[in-house]
Amino acid sequence: MSATDNGNVSSSTSKNGVATISFYHPAQNSLPAALLDELTEAITQAGNDARTRVIVLKSGGNRTFCAGASFDELLQIKDKQAGAVFFSGFARVINACRKSPKIIIARVQGKAVGGGVGLAAAADYCLATEAASIKLSELAIGIGPFVISPAVIRKVGLPAFSQLTIRAVDFQTAQWAKEKGLYNEVYPDIETLDTALGMLTDKLASYHPEALTGLKQILWEGTEDWDELLNHRAALSGELVLSEFTQLALRGFLEGKN
């Protein structure tokens, strides 16, 4: 396990080649820069490990899959370069998922907000619970979901993405997310989710590794420019986070929680 003062990322690989990567943060599994870097490294290492047949991406706890960017850390950004560096952390995670030669299955046990929706979209297949509602709240705090938008649009299409972004304060249900294509399977609770996840990953681990790699390449055709695209989007987000509007919105959100 790799730990920081702001949560941790852990990795393990089963005998049959199922690599499980789990992240945790006490603030609803939000993702500060350090965790984003660790998550990128863990995904890359698992993908390059010859023992790995399939990767599971999950988070700790029962209520929230991922609350997205760390608002505390966003308030600490003081210049455009620092802003671009922070948001490029999400770009690197998404691109690590995209370029991994292994199929990635996301286990979404609870709510996904902002960057958490991006993580789910960056996976190749998603299993979720009924409690896994989703929201893109970025417009409400003065920024947009620019870095994650290519991944989300790729899964749900432009009309559903428009609804998520414009209805920034509204959660959409897990069934809505399944209908739009973000989730592939939705289960009533975590127990049945994990049973289904185990059966799926065991089956995938028994398939021909080269066939799985070939499928992965097909699933991500047409995304070869994402290294440049997502970094450009990160710079845009990094500039917007410095605005007075966003700084006041972030402070108001954090004060409202206390």
Side-chain angles (χ1 to χ4, degrees):
M1 176 178 291
S2 177
T4 72
D5 292 336
N6 292 311
N8 61 72
V9 173
S10 62
S11 301
S12 63
T13 302
S14 66
K15 291 181 179 179
N16 65 341
V18 178
T20 299
I21 299 170
S22 180
F23 63 94
Y24 170 76
H25 190 282
Q28 297 181 310
N29 290 325
S30 60
L31 290 169
L35 279 193
L36 289 168
D37 288 344
E38 291 183 25
L39 200 52
T40 297
E41 182 178 358
I43 292 166
T44 302
Q45 287 184 351
N48 293 333
D49 190 333
R51 298 175 302 163
T52 302
R53 296 298 184 92
V54 62
I55 297 171
V56 173
L57 181 62
K58 59 181 289 189
S59 65
N62 297 329
R63 297 182 60 186
T64 305
F65 171 67
C66 178
S70 166
F71 280 15
D72 287 320
E73 196 158 330
L74 288 178
L75 276 172
Q76 297 172 17
I77 295 172
K78 302 303 180 186
D79 58 68
K80 293 180 182 179
Q81 182 178 1
V85 168
F86 175 82
F87 285 102
S88 68
F90 282 96
R92 287 193 297 273
V93 171
I94 291 171
N95 279 320
C97 291
R98 174 179 68 88
K99 292 188 283 188
S100 173
K102 309 299 168 59
I103 296 292
I104 299 176
I105 310 296
R107 171 192 181 270
V108 186
Q109 84 283 16
K111 291 180 178 179
V113 178
V117 178
L119 281 185
D124 301 298
Y125 201 82
C126 279
L127 277 66
T129 69
E130 293 282 0
S133 54
I134 64 172
K135 178 170 70 171
L136 293 181
S137 57
E138 285 86 347
L139 278 183
I141 58 170
I143 58 177
F146 302 127
V147 174
I148 66 171
S149 62
V152 178
I153 292 171
R154 173 178 164 270
K155 281 292 183 71
V156 306
L158 190 59
F161 175 77
S162 298
Q163 183 175 344
L164 280 172
T165 53
I166 291 172
R167 289 284 187 181
V169 298
D170 297 336
F171 275 101
Q172 304 298 329
T173 67
Q175 286 297 336
W176 184 93
K178 181 175 182 291
E179 290 169 6
K180 302 304 181 184
L182 179 66
Y183 298 155
N184 300 98
E185 303 174 22
V186 173
Y187 294 91
D189 52 46
I190 292 175
E191 183 179 0
T192 52
L193 167 69
D194 284 339
T195 298
L197 177 65
M199 293 175 63
L200 174 62
T201 54
D202 284 348
K203 181 63 70 175
L204 287 172
S206 71
Y207 293 162
H208 196 311
E210 292 182 14
L212 290 172
T213 298
L215 173 62
K216 176 83 179 200
Q217 293 170 346
I218 290 171
L219 292 177
W220 289 91
E221 282 180 350
T223 63
E224 292 79 10
D225 65 337
W226 278 24
D227 282 324
E228 180 180 356
L229 174 63
L230 298 193
N231 282 331
H232 172 74
R233 298 286 181 85
L236 178 59
S237 295
E239 185 172 348
L240 283 172
V241 78
L242 298 172
S243 70
E244 182 180 2
F245 183 101
T246 298
Q247 293 292 306
L248 288 173
L250 287 168
R251 289 191 184 97
F253 177 85
L254 291 173
E255 289 170 1
K257 290 180 65 178
N258 296 328

